Amino acid sequence: MATLTTAISPQGPYVGRFAPSPSGALHFGSLVAALGSYLRARSLGGKWLIRIEDIDPPREVKGAADDILRTLEAYGFEWDDTVLYQSARTDAYQAKLDQLLAQDDAYFCQCSRKQIQAMGGIYDGRCHQLATPHQSGAIRLVNRAQVAEFTDNLMGKVVVDHDFATEDFIIKRSDGLYAYQLAVVLDDAHQGISEVVRGCDLIEASCRQLSLYQSLGLTAPQWLHLPLACLTPGFKLSKQNHAQAIDKQHPQASLNAALTFLGQSTVEPTSAAQMLAQAVAQFELTAVPKQREIILTA
């Protein structure tokens, strides 16, 4: 297994991003992630990009992508460059998959969830050992990098379970949809993201993404995972849990609530753009709580 420490190069600009999926309206947890990534990027004089992760049609809600962008505008967020839609990048994903398959760095797997449960819940790589390889099914990465730990810029040293770190994980699903791990790595590399700021629900997945960066010979970004907004322990606010949409008409209260959640001082409740400008000027990373989740109180 590998240990990987990432660092933002002193050369080159800081580039951050916010990458929501169009599966519903932005909620308070989404706002925390957007605000945290925005404050980090702007306080360092960097760029802040928007990517719409729209490659899972069964989960997408019609009109949600536009609603997300309008909500961000209502909250005073300004992004650099044009919005990147993952659905426009599928040719790049497939080209990389074809290359990995041709190099024996990936393979088809037809094992069911029931079979994997019988293996103890971690896939054992058996389809890669077949004398006659499958020609269809899910596609798994031959995980030679096996990154097991990394340093997070807020949470510190992160270590994942050995079996999780060494598993050959899926990079294209059996239903033909591109897996999040593949798409996010290729897109972050494509956009030159220097630091990924997002919620702690994806902190363990960073090791898989680091394994993929190493396997693809790509330069990995740094990582900064923010606390999750939870209703009860282990139950985060999410679109799947029907979290309430944030108010586009009166953003001031929600912005100050998100600043408080992130350990920042509140700002004068003026226009959303002015509030963000003040928040950027007084942003202190060291004040952000170093905990994976925060329980919201009424």
Side-chain angles (χ1 to χ4, degrees):
M1 290 188 300
T3 299
L4 204 57
T5 301
T6 59
I8 299 173
S9 170
Q11 295 87 32
Y14 181 100
V15 184
R17 49 77 160 175
F18 176 56
S21 62
S23 54
L26 294 184
H27 51 78
F28 183 74
S30 311
L31 177 61
V32 166
L35 182 61
S37 62
Y38 186 85
L39 295 178
R40 176 69 164 163
R42 294 302 193 221
S43 68
L44 294 173
K47 297 174 70 174
W48 189 69
L49 308 181
I50 296 293
R51 181 167 71 236
I52 300 294
E53 300 195 331
D54 59 341
I55 54 168
D56 194 352
R59 292 181 60 244
E60 292 165 19
V61 174
K62 185 177 181 180
D66 286 340
D67 181 69
I68 286 169
L69 297 178
R70 302 295 80 77
T71 302
L72 291 172
E73 289 176 340
Y75 275 71
F77 291 101
E78 296 180 352
W79 52 88
D80 300 291
D81 301 343
T82 57
V83 175
L84 179 68
Y85 290 83
Q86 282 191 328
S87 56
R89 295 262 302 147
T90 55
D91 286 350
Y93 307 152
Q94 190 59 52
K96 184 56 64 176
L97 284 167
D98 291 343
Q99 178 186 348
L100 290 170
L101 288 167
Q103 296 171 172
D104 193 35
D105 290 324
Y107 58 93
F108 288 103
C109 171
Q110 295 184 355
C111 292
S112 66
R113 290 184 180 179
K114 184 176 180 180
Q115 288 175 301
I116 294 170
Q117 284 302 313
M119 299 172 202
I122 295 290
Y123 177 69
D124 63 8
R126 64 183 60 182
C127 291
H128 192 220
Q129 310 303 322
L130 295 175
T132 303
H134 294 305
Q135 298 301 311
S136 63
I139 299 177
R140 291 182 180 272
L141 177 75
V142 179
N143 184 8
R144 300 186 177 96
Q146 301 183 355
V147 174
E149 60 184 73
F150 69 98
T151 300
D152 185 89
N153 283 337
L154 179 64
M155 298 295 171
K157 186 177 180 179
V158 176
V159 181
V160 301
D161 181 77
H162 170 273
D163 290 340
F164 180 84
T166 58
E167 184 178 36
D168 288 355
F169 54 88
I170 289 174
I171 51 178
K172 189 176 185 181
R173 291 162 32 178
S174 60
D175 60 6
L177 297 179
Y178 298 97
Y180 171 77
Q181 310 292 5
L182 177 74
V184 73
V185 165
L186 291 180
D187 289 343
D188 281 341
H190 172 71
Q191 293 188 285
I193 303 302
S194 59
E195 182 182 58
V196 173
V197 180
R198 59 188 181 188
C200 270
D201 52 331
L202 293 167
I203 196 166
E204 283 84 8
S206 298
C207 278
R208 290 197 162 173
Q209 290 159 35
L210 285 165
S211 291
L212 193 47
Y213 274 106
Q214 190 166 315
S215 297
L216 298 177
L218 298 172
T219 300
Q222 266 194 343
W223 312 87
L224 196 163
H225 288 84
L226 302 168
L228 293 175
C230 294
L231 298 174
T232 58
F235 190 81
K236 70 166 186 168
L237 285 179
S238 70
K239 297 165 188 171
Q240 289 70 40
N241 294 332
H242 309 291
Q244 183 178 356
I246 52 176
D247 185 359
K248 288 197 287 287
Q249 303 305 315
H250 304 95
Q252 290 84 355
S254 294
L255 277 173
N256 267 331
L259 286 169
T260 299
F261 183 93
L262 289 170
Q264 307 300 302
S265 299
T266 56
V267 297
E268 290 296 319
T270 52
S271 73
Q274 288 175 313
M275 291 177 71
L276 284 184
Q278 185 181 345
V280 168
Q282 62 191 38
F283 177 65
E284 293 287 347
L285 178 61
T286 55
V288 180
K290 295 177 177 62
Q291 57 197 83
R292 293 205 181 188
E293 59 183 42
I294 296 174
I295 308 303
L296 299 176
T297 56

